[in-house]
Amino acid sequence: MGSVYRARDLHFPNVVKLVAVKEMINMAPDPLVRQTIVQNFEREANLLATLNHPSIPRIYDYLSLENRSYLILEFIHGKDLETVIQDSNGFIPEDQVISWAVQLCDVLSYLHGHKPDPIIFRDMKPSNVMINHNGDVVLVDFGIAKAFQVGQKGTMIGTEGYSPPEQYRGEANQFADIYSLGATLHHTLTRRDPRMEPPFSFAERPIRRINSNVSTELETVINTALQYNPSERFPNITAMKDALIGVARKTGMLSKITSALPTGAGSIKPLWSFKCEDEIRSTPILYQGSLFIGCYDNNLYSLNAADGQFQWKYAAEGGIVTRPALYDNNIYFGSEDKRLHVISARTGKVVWTYYTEGKVRSSPRVAEGHVFFGSDDNDLHAVNVNSGRAVWKFATDAPVHSTPLVVNELVYVGSESGAFYAIDFRGTLKWRFMAKRAITSSPALKGQSIFFGALDSMLYCVDMKNGWAIWKYRLGKGSVSSPAVSDDYVFIGAADGFIYCVDINTSKEIWRFKTDNQVSSSPAIYKDSLYCGSVDGYLYCLEYRTGRLRWKFESKGAITGSPLVFDDIVYIGSTDHHVYALFA
Amino acid sequence: MADFFRKLFKKEQPAPSQPPFVDSVTTQPLSEQQISAIMSGSVPRYEMKQLIASAGQSVGKQRDHNEDSLLAITSTISGSGESIPFGLYIVADGMGGHQFGEVASNAAVRIIAGHILKKFHSFLYNLPTQILQEPLQEVMEESIRDAHRYVQREAPGSGTTVTAALVLGQQVTIAHVGDSRAYALYTDGRIDTITRDHSLVKRLEELGHLSKDEAVNFPHRNVLIRALGQGESLEADIFTIPFPSPGYLLICSDGLWGVVNDQEVYRAVSEAPNLPGACQTLIEAANIAGGPDNISVIIAQMIG
């Protein structure tokens, strides 16, 4: 601990010669330790006295008196960089920062090249950089005061913020100075004080996200300096200076920026494709080597999953947007002809049909001997699979497009009014949750939480037992996509064109991936990939933990249905009338 | 499960009047330890899930005043149909000179609890007219933000850790800043540290710059990188997980976890006759280990 005084050198009585006097108080209680501190101080002062560089203040003298030591050095007219940052309105221009940075590289290079031993500054930060009256930088506070700081006891708050990770293990070499210079420049350009942030979190605050005036080239230089791993930073300060000069010239010296290009579109060839007579907006299912998919041409198709050969089709009297369900060798699906159709998976012959009062766009769910589905007649229907008769109907106040989820003897479903219901097997309401707009999305379950999207631009997480909201995550626009869950992540598409990945425990965004149009399709997870269609016509395959694009496949129309992945093959329908099978 | 077996073996079920072969089979007798383990493991069965909790505090052996604060509230929200267990448990460990540490921890606990309980007031103490619109994680986040602003304003320079757990039904939502900890102790012996310390040593460990052993001897173990009341904006860790069941939720300040290791904590909790006994044992263990800091502990359990 100590102070710096502005003092006048009275050796020169006729002129005003100002000097800076840095006072350090020796607080060590043990006399031996105190003596060591003084010796170290004097050794360093002697060392500094031998330095000669325009960016290093000159040392005139030093002395120790009782428990205080003094260093008398050149007085710098100017302000330290921290004050400069604080006093400036807005961001300091990039070329100004680069010019200071280059000077700082020069002085560090001088220190690192010191013989016989290199000098490591160890404490590069804005408050130790003076900007003198000429606008040039001067490094002050050569860590001499360090020895005087007696370790604090008890729980402390805060940390330096500018020091690299390895410095906390007592390692300080030229790479530490490179890191700290990077941290100083980051602070200068972003005005975000790293002492107020978690240590080593610069990567979480990309410079250009805070200050978009900064060039990508300069950001790259600073990011390189700020690598956790010393070997990934610049090999020496001169290399950093060269890079900075390169930025200044904008000559593109930094061409090493690697951009991992994904496999281009077009190189993905489908295994097979099958053409229907109208748009496909539904999702296929697979059973015993056959693929079943509904189409807007009113047919449900049965195709050979291996080669896409047509097997049979069953004609309903309205378009089919629902995903079929399978139970006991029969296929269940709803149609806009207001009916639930049940047909044999083998022959395609009708087993029974069930009439509702509205179009059926909710996909059926079979559980416990009953089939549950919603209809535009505002009811959720529970129908016995053997008799084909309604067991009960649960009246909501709007059409039900969402697909019910059945678990632990409760049926969960959303409605177009924004209500979300939990209904028991007797058809009585257990609890209800209200979103602000329609819930077309179908619920997904993980642990004790239920996830669904809504047109109010929210992804909701509610407690399956009692319907209390645990969190909500704001999407860019509304969503009709149904969430998929894997590990601790929930994935959902939205009308803003993004596919989102959100942590289910913390509701924090993990990544988002931009497509070029609405994402109405629901993501499917298979192995370590996520598959999802977009209205931009593509089926995307992303690495689900990072959101990195693996490949994309272009169809000739919007993809609003959802992919099915089985045995390393993805099946997807498109509004270009085709069903495609692709290698996953 | 029991029902299932009963159904399955309905016909073979022997009449209770004729117990067969009672004395003709020799079995290995259970040791005292096994018996007590079984006894302590057999929690009373209730028809409904119920939440119970206990707490304990000590100033320790080396400090002259207490900068820790704690709060433990356990209740039930009676609804139509079924009752929902409700619990709010907070531990805060204040720091900063001039006795501001206790001001910070105290204020944090009151403001956070006050904010949350206001939201639940009508469910706990009145007749609710409508369901809670705000998600639980947002309620927690706001309460932390309120407390953060208050501490910055009223006790500048100080700060506090906060680990707050809101139990609702079978899930627990946690808000956490600093290096107090929440653990999930399962009856099968698993110990999960649910929270992540916001300390320099932990950060360095996560980045691979310190090994586990180096971390133990790291000189700046007590340096926090995030504390309520510190920094302009505060980002607390907020997450929701299933309540550890069968098992315990344990929240404590570093006065406990810093001196009593996980295994000892587990043993103390699993061998204690009841939760107050467990808290007492843990505090004694920390004091026997030197009691270098204030000690606070809360243990909650879902029974039934």
Side-chain angles (χ1 to χ4, degrees):
Chain A
M1 290 298 156
S3 324
V4 183
Y5 299 96
R6 183 169 66 172
R8 195 178 149 191
D9 188 344
L10 297 176
H11 284 115
F12 304 92
N14 298 327
V15 292
V16 179
K17 185 191 177 195
L18 292 176
V19 294
V21 177
K22 189 168 171 62
E23 177 190 63
M24 286 149 285
I25 304 170
N26 198 337
M27 299 211 286
D30 181 68
L32 201 66
V33 175
R34 207 156 60 218
Q35 197 191 338
T36 314
I37 289 174
V38 171
Q39 279 169 2
N40 286 344
F41 161 71
E42 295 187 346
R43 200 182 58 231
E44 289 227 24
N46 278 316
L47 175 69
L48 288 185
T50 67
L51 299 180
N52 179 13
H53 190 276
S55 293
I56 298 173
R58 295 187 51 202
I59 307 280
Y60 300 125
D61 206 351
Y62 63 86
L63 62 143
S64 294
L65 275 175
E66 289 170 4
N67 66 338
R68 283 154 206 250
S69 297
Y70 298 90
L71 196 64
I72 293 116
L73 59 154
E74 184 184 347
F75 183 85
I76 313 291
H77 295 268
K79 288 198 274 192
D80 69 69
L81 183 55
E82 189 170 323
T83 315
V84 172
I85 296 168
Q86 273 163 14
D87 292 353
S88 62
N89 299 317
F91 295 110
I92 300 170
E94 174 172 347
D95 50 356
Q96 175 66 78
V97 176
I98 291 177
S99 120
W100 289 335
V102 169
Q103 290 186 35
L104 287 168
C105 286
D106 274 336
V107 60
L108 287 175
S109 155
Y110 172 80
L111 293 170
H112 292 173
H114 186 265
K115 300 282 185 245
D117 299 311
I119 297 172
I120 308 303
F121 185 62
R122 288 164 197 258
D123 206 12
M124 174 67 72
K125 57 183 178 188
S127 62
N128 280 347
V129 175
M130 292 289 291
I131 308 295
N132 70 15
H133 58 287
N134 290 330
D136 293 325
V137 304
V138 179
L139 267 193
V140 297
D141 203 347
F142 270 70
I144 279 189
K146 280 278 169 59
F148 289 81
Q149 285 165 3
V150 181
Q152 280 174 275
K153 288 270 188 299
T155 306
M156 298 186 306
I157 297 160
T159 171
E160 283 295 326
Y162 301 92
S163 307
E166 72 269 15
Q167 199 161 330
Y168 291 93
R169 309 170 56 173
E171 285 171 25
N173 50 33
Q174 54 181 358
F175 301 113
D177 280 349
I178 290 174
Y179 181 96
S180 303
L181 175 56
T184 301
L185 297 175
H186 188 285
H187 181 179
T188 312
L189 290 166
T190 60
R191 302 178 60 108
R192 296 287 177 86
D193 190 333
R195 290 165 298 183
M196 300 294 180
E197 310 281 350
F200 328 124
S201 62
F202 294 103
E204 295 160 25
R205 299 187 299 283
I207 296 172
R208 278 168 48 78
R209 205 163 70 197
I210 300 165
N211 178 357
S212 55
N213 299 327
V214 177
S215 65
T216 13
E217 291 87 351
L218 180 56
E219 184 181 44
T220 310
V221 170
I222 294 171
N223 288 348
T224 309
L226 284 172
Q227 291 296 318
Y228 293 146
N229 193 340
S231 63
E232 288 169 23
R233 296 176 205 147
F234 292 101
N236 52 55
I237 195 75
T238 317
M240 181 165 176
K241 180 186 159 183
D242 290 346
L244 285 164
I245 290 171
V247 175
R249 287 197 200 120
K250 301 254 181 179
T251 53
M253 278 172 75
L254 295 166
S255 53
K256 278 191 289 182
I257 310 160
T258 52
S259 52
L261 283 175
T263 319
S267 67
I268 300 285
K269 291 268 177 289
L271 207 57
W272 54 257
S273 66
F274 176 83
K275 190 170 188 305
C276 307
E277 286 154 42
D278 205 336
E279 295 181 348
I280 299 176
R281 292 176 174 270
S282 80
T283 302
I285 56 159
L286 201 133
Y287 178 64
Q288 292 188 341
S290 295
L291 191 76
F292 303 97
I293 191 162
C295 176
Y296 256 91
D297 64 14
N298 297 2
N299 288 306
L300 182 92
Y301 288 87
S302 166
L303 308 173
N304 185 329
D307 54 15
Q309 285 299 311
F310 172 82
Q311 295 180 152
W312 51 257
K313 64 183 179 185
Y314 168 88
E317 284 165 35
I320 302 168
V321 289
T322 64
R323 181 188 57 218
L326 255 157
Y327 180 74
D328 203 14
N329 293 319
N330 291 333
I331 301 169
Y332 294 70
F333 63 94
S335 157
E336 293 185 346
D337 63 10
K338 305 186 180 179
R339 274 173 263 173
L340 177 79
H341 299 263
V342 182
I343 59 177
S344 158
R346 204 166 45 82
T347 61
K349 295 280 183 292
V350 64
V351 178
W352 52 264
T353 47
Y354 171 88
Y355 285 76
T356 76
E357 312 275 309
K359 291 179 176 176
V360 180
R361 290 167 169 151
S362 156
S363 301
R365 182 85 66 181
V366 182
E368 310 279 344
H370 293 82
V371 52
F372 302 90
F373 64 98
S375 158
D376 283 6
D377 63 9
N378 297 6
D379 285 344
L380 177 77
H381 297 259
V383 178
N384 185 303
V385 291
N386 297 318
S387 66
R389 297 238 175 91
V391 177
W392 48 259
K393 288 186 244 177
F394 178 86
T396 76
D397 47 7
V400 177
H401 293 162
S402 162
T403 301
L405 172 71
V406 182
V407 58
N408 288 347
E409 309 202 341
L410 285 180
V411 185
Y412 299 93
V413 74
S415 96
E416 297 300 297
S417 69
F420 188 85
Y421 303 91
I423 302 154
D424 69 15
F425 275 3
R426 294 188 302 272
T428 48
L429 180 68
K430 184 88 173 159
W431 54 258
R432 190 178 71 153
F433 173 86
M434 287 300 296
K436 298 217 163 49
R437 288 187 60 194
I439 301 172
T440 308
S441 170
S442 308
L445 172 84
K446 168 84 188 214
Q448 301 177 30
S449 299
I450 302 253
F451 305 89
F452 52 87
L455 284 181
D456 62 9
S457 306
M458 290 293 174
L459 168 64
Y460 288 96
C461 167
V462 303
D463 191 310
M464 68 180 288
K465 292 253 170 65
N466 45 50
W468 289 76
I470 290 166
W471 53 256
K472 57 177 196 256
Y473 174 82
R474 179 167 285 282
L475 308 163
K477 273 188 181 169
S479 173
V480 295
S481 165
S482 302
V485 182
S486 189
D487 301 345
D488 278 346
Y489 305 129
V490 52
F491 308 90
I492 193 166
D496 60 359
F498 283 99
I499 300 166
Y500 293 84
C501 169
V502 177
D503 185 301
I504 62 170
N505 296 320
T506 63
S507 70
K508 293 273 182 296
E509 179 181 312
I510 304 294
W511 53 259
R512 62 169 77 184
F513 178 86
K514 181 150 181 48
T515 76
D516 290 328
N517 210 325
Q518 303 186 7
V519 180
S520 310
S521 170
S522 305
I525 302 291
Y526 181 77
K527 292 185 177 166
D528 57 352
S529 294
L530 174 148
Y531 302 86
C532 191
S534 164
V535 173
D536 67 12
Y538 284 95
L539 174 74
Y540 291 89
C541 171
L542 312 177
E543 206 174 83
Y544 84 70
R545 287 184 184 84
T546 59
R548 196 179 62 81
L549 179 65
R550 286 216 156 104
W551 52 259
K552 57 182 181 177
F553 167 75
E554 185 177 17
S555 77
K556 302 277 184 300
I559 297 181
T560 57
S562 304
L564 167 76
V565 197
F566 185 80
D567 248 358
D568 292 330
I569 295 173
V570 196
Y571 304 93
I572 184 84
S574 164
T575 53
D576 68 5
H577 303 189
H578 283 85
V579 187
Y580 298 94
L582 309 153
F583 279 119
Chain B
M1 197 59 148
D3 282 339
F4 172 73
F5 279 113
R6 220 167 286 137
K7 247 182 243 168
L8 203 62
F9 298 112
K10 214 185 291 171
K11 283 172 195 141
E12 285 89 341
Q13 215 168 33
S17 54
Q18 32 172 301
F21 319 122
V22 171
D23 294 316
S24 61
V25 183
T26 339
T27 55
Q28 179 75 30
L30 293 171
S31 70
E32 281 300 314
Q33 211 180 355
Q34 282 172 307
I35 291 171
S36 67
I38 291 168
M39 298 295 279
S40 66
S42 64
V43 288
R45 299 292 302 179
Y46 291 86
E47 214 175 294
M48 304 184 301
K49 288 276 183 193
Q50 288 173 46
L51 186 63
I52 54 172
S54 191
Q57 256 193 319
S58 161
V59 75
K61 292 284 185 207
Q62 297 177 27
R63 302 282 178 101
D64 51 10
H65 63 282
N66 180 28
E67 295 192 327
D68 281 6
S69 300
L70 71 72
L71 178 133
I73 291 172
T74 308
S75 185
T76 298
I77 295 179
S78 324
S80 57
E82 73 178 312
S83 297
I84 302 170
F86 174 92
L88 181 60
Y89 309 105
I90 310 178
V91 165
D93 173 2
M95 64 207 68
H98 314 296
Q99 301 194 344
F100 267 5
E102 64 197 69
V103 176
S105 68
N106 223 299
V109 166
R110 285 164 194 252
I111 289 169
I112 292 167
H115 187 100
I116 294 169
L117 292 174
K118 243 179 256 164
K119 300 281 179 194
F120 282 91
H121 187 274
S122 63
F123 299 95
L124 288 165
Y125 310 117
N126 212 328
L127 295 171
T129 49
Q130 62 174 53
I131 59 165
L132 186 68
Q133 284 296 326
E134 288 169 81
L136 302 182
Q137 293 194 355
E138 282 176 24
V139 171
M140 292 297 256
E141 203 175 333
E142 280 163 21
S143 72
I144 294 273
R145 209 180 304 141
D146 277 7
H148 178 60
R149 276 197 294 256
Y150 179 89
V151 171
Q152 273 185 323
R153 199 170 60 237
E154 301 298 326
S158 72
T160 182
T161 75
V162 172
T163 301
L166 172 65
V167 181
L168 193 71
Q170 310 303 312
Q171 302 206 67
V172 51
T173 300
I174 290 182
H176 166 78
V177 188
D179 70 348
S180 296
R181 286 185 179 174
Y183 290 92
L185 311 179
Y186 296 93
T187 42
D188 59 12
R190 270 180 304 139
I191 309 163
D192 287 348
T193 312
I194 304 169
T195 49
R196 200 185 60 172
D197 297 347
H198 296 140
S199 62
L200 180 61
V201 59
K202 184 74 193 169
R203 179 81 177 153
L204 289 166
E205 217 183 305
E206 283 170 2
L207 293 174
H209 283 278
L210 287 178
S211 69
K212 269 261 184 300
D213 293 342
E214 285 173 312
V216 171
N217 300 313
F218 187 67
H220 312 293
R221 282 193 64 80
N222 47 10
V223 176
L224 294 188
I225 59 175
R226 235 188 269 177
L228 191 140
Q230 288 291 312
E232 269 175 40
S233 63
L234 178 71
E235 200 186 323
D237 290 346
I238 294 174
F239 52 90
T240 305
I241 52 167
F243 192 93
S245 180
Y248 310 86
L249 173 71
L250 184 146
I251 305 173
C252 63
S253 60
D254 63 345
L256 178 67
W257 69 256
V259 289
V260 183
N261 72 36
D262 293 0
Q263 267 66 34
E264 284 178 70
V265 169
Y266 181 78
R267 201 173 327 120
V269 174
S270 60
E271 289 175 6
N274 51 33
L275 297 187
C279 292
Q280 207 50 48
T281 313
L282 287 172
I283 283 167
E284 275 163 20
N287 276 326
I288 287 167
D293 203 348
N294 306 145
I295 308 151
S296 299
V297 61
I298 301 173
I299 308 175
Q301 186 185 12
M302 196 70 77
I303 56 174

